[in-house]
Amino acid sequence: MQFTRNIMHMNVSYKKECDKNMKRYFLFVLSFLLFCYISTAVPTQFNTTTDLSRSDINDWMTPTMVVSLYAYNDSSVYLGLENGLFGVYNPITNVTTNLEDSDQNNWLSEISNNHVQAWSGMNNTAIFMAGWNGILGYYNQETNISHNLRESDPGNWIGSTRAANDIYDMIVVNRTHAYFAMEGGKFGVYVANTNTSYNLNDSDPGNWVGTNKWDAITFTDSSTIFLGVNNGYFAIFNASNNVSSNLSETDINNWIGTSIIRDIIAYNSTHVYIVNDNGGFGVYD
């Protein structure tokens, strides 16, 4: 009798051990297949620049020029192209998807020579976009719909004329305010809570900006916005008092001069980096 019990116990233990081994084997095979898929989908070489231009299904990007990029997260890199085209690249699948049909009533491509020039994320679902001809809107990742915000400006102060109303850069602060820099001395902010784009053109005392192009924009905190302007102008906008102050005299030996500040980025609350079109590179602190 005892012998029979021992045999039964051994059978149960053996079965449990077999089940564990099967689970381990299944997990190993699954992990191996996943590794093989990722290895073939995404380039694994390091210190290598890989051509991703053929990742667009049906070759939808050719021969259109890509004019802007925005890395939203690990799986979404948005691309702005000429003529109102835009898409998203997924590094995991190595596929660039055309999002052209997401714009209701074809608002992005209704005007010829539209370029999506600037991007910024508002929250987990909304990606703001801006560009030539006064393009202003956002793409909802969950619904796959691009919404037009061009009528959010009272009195049509943004406008929609090529060159005179181009938006070159934008940033989102506190997930509620999207600041954007424009041609012709125009500078504004879209406030999500009111669905209104406010004109900040008069924030420069004495109109020191004039009609110079606001080219680049960044921020260090919710009330401190830095801007690069044409003709060597460099500015700081204080959202608390609605004033844009000229920082052009802060460049030792006038190294910025009358150049165009092409880009500006705040590394932290004390360092703002600047590049211009004359090969200049500097930091404001």
Side-chain angles (χ1 to χ4, degrees), residues 44-209:
T44 56
Q45 299 97 330
F46 294 99
N47 197 34
T48 300
T49 303
T50 304
D51 183 7
L52 300 177
S53 59
R54 297 187 180 277
S55 64
D56 56 329
I57 299 175
N58 297 324
D59 200 29
W60 65 270
M61 292 171 59
T62 305
T64 311
M65 180 176 67
V66 178
V67 295
S68 63
L69 285 172
Y70 176 63
Y72 177 67
N73 55 30
D74 292 340
S75 60
S76 301
V77 179
Y78 287 87
L79 301 86
L81 296 89
E82 296 176 303
N83 302 320
L85 292 176
F86 80 105
V88 59
Y89 171 72
N90 187 324
I92 298 174
T93 61
N94 193 33
V95 172
T96 303
T97 304
N98 187 357
L99 300 177
E100 177 186 9
D101 293 334
S102 69
D103 60 326
Q104 295 177 321
N105 301 320
N106 200 32
W107 67 272
L108 266 174
S109 54
E110 64 183 358
I111 302 175
S112 62
N113 208 23
N114 261 348
H115 291 7
V116 179
Q117 186 79 26
W119 300 86
S120 193
M122 178 68 85
N123 50 41
N124 292 332
T125 59
I127 311 295
F128 270 75
M129 61 181 79
W132 290 11
N133 300 301
I135 286 178
L136 182 64
Y138 71 93
Y139 171 71
N140 189 313
Q141 296 182 108
E142 292 185 348
T143 62
N144 191 35
I145 294 176
S146 301
H147 299 270
N148 187 0
L149 298 176
R150 291 172 68 175
E151 295 182 0
S152 66
D153 56 330
N156 192 34
W157 68 268
I158 293 178
S160 58
T161 306
R162 170 70 185 95
N165 302 293
D166 293 347
I167 299 175
Y168 292 103
D169 202 2
M170 75 182 308
I171 54 163
V172 171
V173 179
N174 285 347
R175 298 190 174 189
T176 56
H177 291 62
Y179 290 89
F180 47 93
M182 297 183 62
E183 183 68 70
K186 291 183 178 182
F187 166 50
V189 58
Y190 171 79
V191 180
N193 297 338
T194 61
N195 191 34
T196 302
S197 296
Y198 298 95
N199 188 349
L200 301 177
N201 296 354
D202 295 331
S203 65
D204 55 329
N207 192 32
W208 62 269
V209 174

Side-chain angles (χ1 to χ4, degrees), residues 254-267:
N254 193 32
W255 66 270
I256 296 178
T258 58
S259 63
I260 299 174
I261 296 179
R262 290 297 186 187
D263 207 356
I264 180 172
I265 187 169
Y267 174 71

